[in-house]
Amino acid sequence: MDAVTRDELDALMQWRRMPSVSIYMGTRERGLETRQNAIRFKNQLRKAQSKLEELGTEKGHGAALFDPARPLLEDGLFWQHQSRGLAVFVSHDFFRTYRVALDFEDLVTATYRFHVKPLLPLLTEDSRFYVLAVSQNSARLFHCTKQDSEQVRPEGMPNSLAEALRYDDPQRQVQFHTGSQPATGKRPAMYHGQGVGIDENKDNILRYFRQIDRTLKESVRADKAPFVLAGVDYLFPLYKQANSFATILEKGIAGNPDALTIEELHPQAWALVEAHLAQERRKALEKYTEAAGKGLTLRALEPALRAARGGRVDTLFVARGVQRWGRFDTLTHVVDVHEQEQPGDEDLLDLTALETVLHGGTVHAVEHGEVPDGSLLACALRY
């Protein structure tokens, strides 16, 4: 699983250059079927090249655009280590691949910008969260989805309280000793400074947690994915006191996490995240219902796109896996919707979502049946 950061998504959303090609495909994660991944990707590249030719790109120039992607066709290791979906973005001097735990319908677009709607759940929905398993002896960060998890190691994050205090204040003496031998055969580690009492030990832990917070703030930055804390109860309020940016869930995984693997932590964390996300979706629906009572909702594509472009959309529900092809004139705000995709068309549902995010709104990319009022999109307006 590739960790798609908010900065990377912002770069994709803000890219403007003709041509910009987006390729989405579902992939097989394991077994003999992984051999089909490269074959299907080759077909997607051919489809992309055909789209460029429809736009008037000379055949040789169009083929050269995909030179960075072609080595993947022979990279057996790449195809054996897939998640559920693959997203590839190609433009002049730009090539990115993301293997993510999202189910993609096969799709190829070629226009002046990248197609991002299939990735929007990574920003606003239930696809991503973090688990921070922290004790005085260990600090581990995991980037997770509902199905997958991987450990990430931000540069500079202290691995323990002792390490944090050593680098925070080299002159400070920190003692370490082990307690009595437990039944497991492992000796629990305990840290304290010379002459340290309870209050000073709390101060040391706060310094440790603030180092972790600074590191995560630099590496995760504007990522709004939920954080689940795993640790002993008395550490929770201390970490929340140190926290300056992350969306720390009110409830965490109580107990010493040092002896637990991510496979053991993940289902407990997902249960907490799922409950949190359900609550957030209820709040979004309540906001939509309240806005509807004031006449501040839209369900038709054309006015919703204009409102998103003008920064008026606060909350947008949009159907994922569905496209509405056409063109939008950014100067006149004229919208042309086409029954069938035409060369140079873009997905106007995707464009509405992109404009909403770029203007600070929230997008919920959901199944078609989950969009309020049974439409392809529904938005609550700021004014």
Side-chain angles (χ1 to χ4, degrees):
M1 182 181 64
D2 295 340
V4 187
T5 67
R6 175 60 191 256
D7 284 349
E8 289 170 325
L9 283 171
D10 283 344
L12 291 174
M13 289 188 290
Q14 294 174 22
W15 182 268
R16 297 289 186 274
R17 188 165 183 181
M18 182 66 85
S20 296
V21 176
S22 308
I23 299 174
Y24 290 91
M25 55 180 276
T27 49
R28 304 295 182 267
E29 299 180 59
R30 56 183 64 86
L32 295 177
E33 290 183 333
T34 58
R35 298 176 183 175
Q36 298 298 315
N37 289 331
I39 297 173
R40 293 176 53 241
F41 182 61
K42 186 175 183 179
N43 293 335
Q44 294 291 78
L45 288 179
R46 287 174 178 165
K47 188 181 296 185
Q49 190 164 331
S50 296
K51 285 184 177 289
L52 292 186
E53 292 171 11
E54 291 174 357
L55 290 172
T57 305
E58 293 183 15
K59 191 170 184 179
H61 291 165
L65 188 73
F66 300 108
D67 285 347
R70 289 196 176 88
L72 293 180
L73 296 173
E74 307 300 326
D75 190 344
L77 193 61
F78 176 82
W79 297 110
Q80 289 173 19
H81 293 82
Q82 290 295 311
S83 187
R84 286 153 47 204
L86 175 68
V88 179
F89 302 95
V90 188
S91 186
H92 293 291
D93 302 319
F94 191 102
F95 176 64
R96 298 286 190 279
T97 66
Y98 297 104
R99 295 168 288 187
V100 297
L102 293 174
D103 294 314
F104 294 143
E105 298 287 339
D106 288 1
L107 178 67
V108 177
T109 67
T111 180
Y112 69 97
R113 65 177 183 85
F114 293 127
H115 183 85
V116 297
K117 180 156 62 77
L119 289 178
L120 287 182
L122 299 178
L123 275 181
T124 57
E125 286 296 306
D126 57 4
S127 292
R128 299 186 310 109
F129 61 97
Y130 292 92
V131 175
L132 179 60
V134 62
S135 71
Q136 296 186 48
N137 301 311
S138 174
R140 295 175 294 158
L141 180 68
F142 300 92
H143 180 259
C144 307
T145 69
K146 179 179 178 180
Q147 292 83 11
D148 301 300
S149 59
E150 66 176 349
Q151 186 168 0
V152 290
R153 297 176 173 84
E155 183 177 355
M157 189 171 89
N159 293 312
S160 67
L161 173 63
E163 181 178 305
L165 296 184
R166 183 166 65 249
Y167 288 110
D168 194 31
D169 186 355
Q171 301 302 316
R172 187 178 182 86
Q173 296 294 317
V174 178
Q175 293 182 337
F176 165 85
H177 69 266
T178 56
S180 58
Q181 184 84 11
T184 59
K186 297 180 180 179
R187 301 176 69 87
M190 294 175 287
Y191 297 91
H192 60 81
Q194 289 185 352
V196 172
I198 294 176
D199 289 340
E200 188 169 357
N201 193 44
K202 285 184 178 179
D203 289 341
N204 289 337
I205 294 172
L206 269 175
R207 291 166 63 194
Y208 169 38
F209 286 169
R210 284 175 177 141
Q211 280 195 40
I212 294 175
D213 178 72
R214 285 195 298 270
T215 303
L216 296 184
K217 193 172 184 178
E218 291 175 1
S219 60
V220 181
R221 295 184 184 177
D223 198 333
K224 296 182 180 179
F227 269 69
V228 177
L229 277 179
V232 295
D233 286 337
Y234 75 87
L235 293 181
F236 284 10
L238 291 175
Y239 192 86
K240 289 176 181 178
Q241 182 179 341
N243 176 59
S244 64
F245 81 102
T247 309
I248 300 291
L249 298 193
E250 188 63 29
K251 293 183 178 180
I253 302 172
N256 184 0
D258 291 351
L260 298 178
T261 64
I262 186 55
E263 288 76 20
E264 294 168 311
L265 290 169
H266 184 275
Q268 298 182 65
W270 170 246
L272 296 172
V273 171
E274 188 173 32
H276 166 76
L277 292 168
Q279 183 179 16
E280 292 299 303
R281 284 192 291 272
R282 284 194 296 272
K283 289 179 180 178
L285 285 170
E286 289 171 0
K287 180 180 290 188
Y288 177 83
T289 302
E290 181 181 349
K294 300 176 181 178
L296 291 174
T297 59
L298 294 171
R299 290 179 292 165
L301 173 57
E302 291 89 339
L305 176 51
R306 295 188 189 101
R309 175 72 177 180
R312 295 174 55 211
V313 176
D314 178 80
T315 304
L316 172 70
F317 294 88
V318 62
R320 57 187 172 208
V322 180
Q323 292 80 43
R324 282 295 177 267
W325 301 105
R327 300 186 183 184
F328 176 66
D329 189 313
T330 58
L331 295 178
T332 65
H333 288 193
V334 171
V335 182
D336 290 323
V337 182
H338 302 149
E339 290 295 326
Q340 301 292 331
E341 182 183 4
Q342 299 179 13
D345 275 1
E346 58 185 323
D347 177 13
L348 298 177
L349 293 174
D350 176 76
L351 181 59
T352 305
L354 177 126
E355 291 288 353
T356 299
V357 173
L358 291 179
H359 287 88
T362 300
V363 175
H364 296 274
V366 297
E367 297 301 324
H368 186 184
E370 297 177 1
V371 178
D373 299 323
S375 184
L376 290 177
L377 60 76
C379 59
L381 303 178
R382 294 187 171 108
Y383 56 90

